Amino acid sequence: TTLFRSATDLSAYGDGFFDVVLAFGPFYHLMAAAEREAAVSEIRRVLKPGGTVLAAFILVTVVSSIGLLLIVRLLYLSLS
């Protein structure tokens, strides 16, 4: 089943609901850092232990590259 929701509010789904989460937009469409952090938190919450996250990013500047590294680090720490 393919489901589309706001990446910052996945409250329609319980903890550990998904084996795989596809995030092909939220990290470059959400402009505020707090929104991106909320998306990471929700992805972590709805993902089953040992689950897989597939995420897409657009790198435009060095600042974006640093932002990507921070998001990847947040995901890694959150899923560890």
Side-chain angles (χ1 to χ4, degrees), residues 16-75:
F17 189 81
F18 294 104
D19 293 308
V20 177
V21 173
L22 304 176
F24 292 157
F27 297 111
Y28 50 87
H29 288 293
L30 297 173
M31 302 308 289
E35 290 177 311
R36 291 187 299 272
E37 290 171 8
V40 169
S41 179
E42 282 293 86
I43 288 170
R44 178 178 180 255
R45 185 185 65 75
V46 300
L47 190 65
K48 288 181 181 176
T52 301
V53 176
L54 301 172
F57 304 89
I58 294 176
L59 302 178
V60 179
T61 65
V62 172
V63 173
S64 293
S65 298
I66 292 169
L68 168 64
L69 293 175
L70 292 174
I71 291 169
V72 169
R73 183 72 177 150
L74 279 172
L75 278 171

Side-chain angles (χ1 to χ4, degrees), residues 3-13 18:
L3 306 168
F4 298 93
R5 299 281 182 204
S6 168
T8 61
D9 179 14
L10 300 174
S11 60
Y13 311 107
F18 294 104

